[in-house]
């Protein structure tokens, strides 16, 4: 009976990526994390530097779409890379075994390009949402309170919903999907793998991204906190429990936010930049 219960528990909460999932040997996993640090640190430095100059303001902060997308992709690299790196390194390792030279470089670029393509599309959606909310706040300053409440409500409901569960399960136990990816036909296979995994990653993090509307897209503290939640959700054995707890917290904030302006820095007037504080 005890072994059956253990098996059912394991089925509900698969081994997280890189922590018992068997994706990489310990030595190669350590090397992968070292590579992640080399890439993620500059991304965070660039993001923080830009945030110091811009501060936290409503909407798109006057940025044109190309600049916004560039900053968005840099932010996503900083926030998402640590949690998706084991899967990416595992796939790149498989590419290295099958190809060499320029072919290996091109295939790896295809995979990374597919992943970034998904997050660029998300950036287009985010730009539209921020432009809309920014316009509403400029015309009706008090509207920010209710936009914030709705944002937290939607984020909380998503965190507790079935789509979040499906996408989080994929991100926590991608081994079966990696096997499936190997069966994709060769033309643009690595691009398709990047898009497919990127779509699941975006689906897993969609609720968390919504709260950047009230908290501010260039709010470094919010970005760091969300990056930590994403990392723990995907890699901790009780990540699904954390996801639900965060969802409940967002629902509480949806009730409190209209009466606490400090919870809505991204929906208020221009605030001092970090460098001036």
């Amino acid at each position: 009976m005890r072994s059956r219960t253990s098996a059912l528990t394991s089925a509900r909460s698969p081994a997280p990526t890189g922590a018992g999932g068997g994706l990489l040997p310990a030595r190669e996993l350590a090397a992968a994390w070292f590579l992640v640090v080399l890439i993620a640190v500059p991304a965070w430095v660039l993001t923080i530097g830009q945030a110091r100059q811009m501060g936290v303001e409503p909407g798109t902060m006057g940025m044109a779409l190309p600049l916004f997308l560039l900053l968005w992709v840099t932010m996503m690299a900083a926030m998402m890379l640590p949690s998706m790196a084991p899967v990416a390194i595992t796939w790149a390792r498989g590419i290295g075994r099958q190809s060499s030279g320029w072919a290996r470089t091109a295939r790896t670029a295809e995979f990374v390009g597919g992943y970034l393509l998904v997050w660029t599309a998300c950036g287009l959606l985010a730009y539209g949402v921020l432009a809309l909310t920014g316009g509403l706040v400029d015309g009706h300053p008090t509207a920010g309170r209710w936009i914030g409440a709705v944002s937290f409500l939607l984020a909380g409901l998503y965190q507790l919903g079935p789509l979040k569960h499906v996408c989080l399960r994929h991100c926590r136990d991608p081994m079966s999907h990696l096997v499936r990816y190997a069966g994709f036909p060769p033309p643009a296979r690595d691009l398709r793998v990047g898009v497919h995994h990127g779509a699941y990653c975006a689906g897993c993090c969609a609720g968390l991204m919504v709260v950047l509307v009230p908290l501010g897209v260039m709010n470094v503290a919010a970005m760091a906190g969300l990056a930590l939640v994403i990392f723990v959700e995907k890699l901790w054995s009780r990540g699904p429990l954390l996801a639900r707890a965060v969802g409940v917290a967002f629902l509480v904030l949806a009730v409190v936010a209209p009466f606490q302006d400090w919870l809505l820095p991204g929906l208020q007037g221009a605030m001092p930049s970090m460098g001036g504080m």
Side-chain angles (χ1 to χ4, degrees), residues 12 29 32 38 42 69 89 95 121 128 140 142 147 167 177 192 203 214 240 243 254 256:
R12 286 193 297 266
L29 187 59
L38 290 181
L69 290 178
I89 294 297
I95 292 175
H140 308 279
T142 57
I147 294 173
C167 293
H177 296 276
R192 287 180 59 196
V256 176

Side-chain angles (χ1 to χ4, degrees), residues 2-231:
R2 183 173 300 176
S3 62
R4 181 180 299 176
T5 302
S6 176
L8 290 174
T9 302
S10 176
R12 286 193 297 266
S13 181
T17 302
L23 295 181
L24 288 174
R27 182 178 299 179
E28 293 189 24
L29 187 59
W33 282 117
F34 179 72
L35 180 62
V36 168
V37 171
L38 290 181
I39 299 174
V41 168
W44 273 109
V45 170
L46 289 173
T47 300
I48 293 173
Q50 191 63 37
R52 288 177 62 88
Q53 297 178 20
M54 300 180 65
V56 180
E57 298 180 17
T60 61
M61 295 163 287
M63 286 187 287
L65 180 59
L67 176 58
F68 178 87
L69 290 178
L70 178 61
L71 292 177
W72 175 267
V73 172
T74 302
M75 286 167 51
M76 294 305 105
M79 294 175 65
M80 306 297 174
L81 185 59
S83 61
M84 62 83 63
V87 177
I89 294 297
T90 301
W91 185 256
R93 180 177 173 228
I95 292 175
R97 288 177 173 176
Q98 301 170 11
S99 310
S100 60
W102 285 108
R104 177 172 57 192
T105 302
R107 289 189 61 189
T108 303
E110 272 192 42
F111 171 75
V112 174
Y115 186 84
L116 294 180
L117 184 63
V118 172
W119 280 107
T120 301
C122 293
L124 289 171
L125 178 61
Y127 188 85
V129 170
L130 290 171
L132 175 62
T133 57
L136 290 173
V137 171
D138 288 341
H140 308 279
T142 57
R145 297 179 179 181
W146 307 110
I147 294 173
V150 171
S151 298
F152 283 122
L153 176 62
L154 292 177
L157 293 176
Y158 188 90
Q159 283 287 114
L160 299 172
L163 184 56
K164 167 73 177 190
H165 174 75
V166 170
C167 293
L168 181 58
R169 186 177 181 84
H170 168 94
C171 292
R172 287 173 54 81
D173 186 27
M175 197 61 187
S176 60
H177 296 276
L178 290 174
V179 173
R180 176 191 173 192
Y181 293 159
F184 283 2
R189 174 173 60 186
D190 300 294
L191 179 65
R192 287 180 59 196
V193 172
V195 169
H196 193 271
H197 185 64
Y200 272 105
C201 184
C204 182
C205 303
L208 299 174
M209 294 298 102
V210 168
V211 300
L212 286 177
V213 173
L215 297 180
V217 174
M218 299 306 295
N219 187 331
V220 175
M223 283 188 283
L226 292 176
L228 180 60
V229 170
I230 292 167
F231 182 84

